[in-house]
Amino acid sequence: MGTRRGAEVLGRRALNRATLARQLLLRRDERDAFAAVDHLAGLQAQEPQEPHVGLWSRLAGFRPAELDGLLESRRVVRTQLMRRTLHLVTAEDCLALRPVHQPMLLARMTGTLGRRLPGVDLAELAAAGEPLFAEEPRLLPEVGRLLAGRWPDAAARDLGDALSSLVPLVQTTPRGLWRRQAPARTTTVRAWLGRDVADGPDDDVLEALVLRYLRAYGPAASADLRAWCGLSGLPAVVTRLRPRLRSFRDERGRELLDVDDGPLPEPGEPAPVRFLPAFDNAVLGYDDRSRVVADEHRGLSVAGARFVLVDGTVSAIWTSAGRDDGGVDVAVSPLRALTPAERTEVEEEGTRLAAFLGDGVPGALTVG
């Protein structure tokens, strides 16, 4: 899977295969779960069970207990970062990246909630809320209710939601553990990790973040990078890095930047069927998502649909339902006509997924 040089234009299929390779979806990777989370710069985790599926689809030897161990040992945490959404990241990334994302988190929060927080001084709200989260893990609305007397014109849920961006917080276990249902309790980063986030935005951290994005998502345009992380002000960072990057064009004429050693598989390389969890960044991590999902299905990517990749692109959605015996049934709804060979591969991979979801208890697989 060597690097091809000198191609000025990369077609959609070439970009698809590059994405699959870098997202560990072209073949299951041998690295462990911690290394995968680090390589991907996090997994979207607003649905607490979904990262387990994302890692199962990417890693050769993944077992749910491995990720559970990382969460319980606090080497990996669930926290608000990219695009003001919950991500599963390493503890080190939580500490380093929160200051980088803080201005964006504040801007997006005020854009969403500002009119619903009349008379609320945000610095005062943060100062009042942080000790309550540090004291013990609490639900966001619970802290909002505790503070509601100070700001009676604001709803408790809005106060809590605002605090999720104002104060560096992490969601605590047992939420996010395999097949466990638990409330979304949060505490401060310092209380959970014993360390504070970095003092402020760091240019070296920003440069490293851009390079990590390209290694895991590239080649990509600046608009793709911005869509993934939600950060503005990156053009200056890209300009500094440009001498270290190579450049391509896509079929629309957009400039695509890339790390020098990023793999570019041949466009004709076979791509196996892969089941993606809800909100997987392999789809959401771009402004132009056409390398993975057709424009007519783009809306499904932000609606929580779980996708099936066939020949590398979104070709079906899937759902699951638990059974009384502990097994899990999986249902696949194609978005296009599948060939007999594709249907067989979907059935085989879906059967393996059902067994994974059921901890080895066989589940039924149906393909509509």
Side-chain angles (χ1 to χ4, degrees), residues 146-159:
L146 291 173
L147 300 176
R150 300 194 187 190
W151 297 283
D153 294 330
R157 65 178 180 276
D158 292 332
L159 293 172

Side-chain angles (χ1 to χ4, degrees), residues 209-220:
L209 185 65
V210 171
L211 294 173
R212 291 174 68 187
Y213 173 77
L214 294 176
R215 291 190 185 101
Y217 295 85

Side-chain angles (χ1 to χ4, degrees), residues 222-238:
S222 295
D224 296 321
L225 168 64
R226 186 170 58 252
W228 169 70
C229 63
L231 300 178
S232 59
L234 291 177
V237 179
V238 172

Side-chain angles (χ1 to χ4, degrees), residues 8 44 57 99 103 145 170-171 176 178 195 216 283 299 312 342 368:
E8 291 188 2
Q44 184 130 331
S57 288
R145 288 192 293 272
V170 295
Q171 283 196 3
W178 182 239
R195 293 176 287 169
V283 179
E342 289 173 339

Side-chain angles (χ1 to χ4, degrees), residues 24-287:
L24 315 181
L25 292 166
L26 196 57
R27 55 185 56 82
R28 281 188 165 91
D29 198 87
E30 296 295 333
R31 72 190 75 191
D32 62 23
F34 182 86
V37 172
D38 180 67
H39 166 73
L40 297 169
L43 292 163
Q44 184 130 331
Q46 61 200 74
E47 296 293 336
Q49 296 290 303
E50 299 296 279
H52 291 85
V53 177
L55 291 173
W56 174 81
S57 288
R58 289 172 163 90
L59 303 180
F62 177 72
R63 298 291 183 272
E66 183 183 3
L67 180 55
D68 285 359
L70 293 172
L71 287 164
E72 291 184 308
S73 66
R74 307 183 187 187
R75 295 183 65 203
V76 164
V77 298
R78 299 178 68 241
T79 190
Q80 191 181 89
L81 280 176
M82 283 73 79
R83 306 185 301 277
R84 198 176 175 248
T85 56
L86 279 172
H87 275 71
L88 191 78
V89 297
T90 67
E92 295 303 325
D93 274 349
C94 174
L95 296 169
L97 295 181
R98 178 64 187 232
V100 167
H101 287 79
Q102 186 59 39
M104 176 272 295
L105 296 175
L106 181 60
R108 292 199 174 196
M109 182 275 290
T110 54
T112 302
L113 297 175
R115 293 182 179 180
R116 303 209 295 267
L117 299 172
V120 177
D121 181 284
L122 296 181
E124 185 180 346
L125 175 61
E130 184 166 9
L132 296 173
F133 288 113
E135 183 178 56
E136 63 178 277
R138 301 178 189 268
L139 301 173
L140 294 174
E142 174 190 353
V143 174
R145 288 192 293 272
L146 291 173
L147 300 176
R150 300 194 187 190
W151 297 283
D153 294 330
R157 65 178 180 276
D158 292 332
L159 293 172
D161 191 2
L163 282 165
S164 71
S165 295
L166 291 170
V167 179
L169 301 173
V170 295
Q171 283 196 3
T172 62
T173 54
R175 188 168 177 83
L177 299 182
W178 182 239
R179 300 186 72 166
R180 295 279 297 275
Q181 300 294 322
R185 300 190 186 279
T186 59
T187 190
T188 63
V189 168
R190 179 172 180 78
W192 194 247
L193 297 180
R195 293 176 287 169
D196 286 319
V197 300
D199 290 336
D202 185 295
D203 287 345
D204 290 340
V205 173
L206 273 172
E207 290 185 8
L209 185 65
V210 171
L211 294 173
R212 291 174 68 187
Y213 173 77
L214 294 176
R215 291 190 185 101
Y217 295 85
S222 295
D224 296 321
L225 168 64
R226 186 170 58 252
W228 169 70
C229 63
L231 300 178
S232 59
L234 291 177
V237 179
V238 172
T239 297
R240 292 197 300 271
L241 290 173
R242 186 173 288 279
R244 300 165 55 184
L245 302 176
R246 56 182 175 173
S247 177
F248 301 97
R249 296 279 173 183
D250 66 10
E251 293 172 336
R252 295 168 49 194
R254 299 188 314 161
E255 183 185 34
L256 305 176
L257 298 174
D258 198 11
V259 289
D260 190 58
D261 58 350
L264 289 176
E266 293 296 328
E269 183 160 342
V273 166
R274 290 289 183 259
F275 282 72
L276 296 183
F279 306 111
D280 195 285
N281 277 334
V283 179
L284 293 185
Y286 302 93
D287 176 60

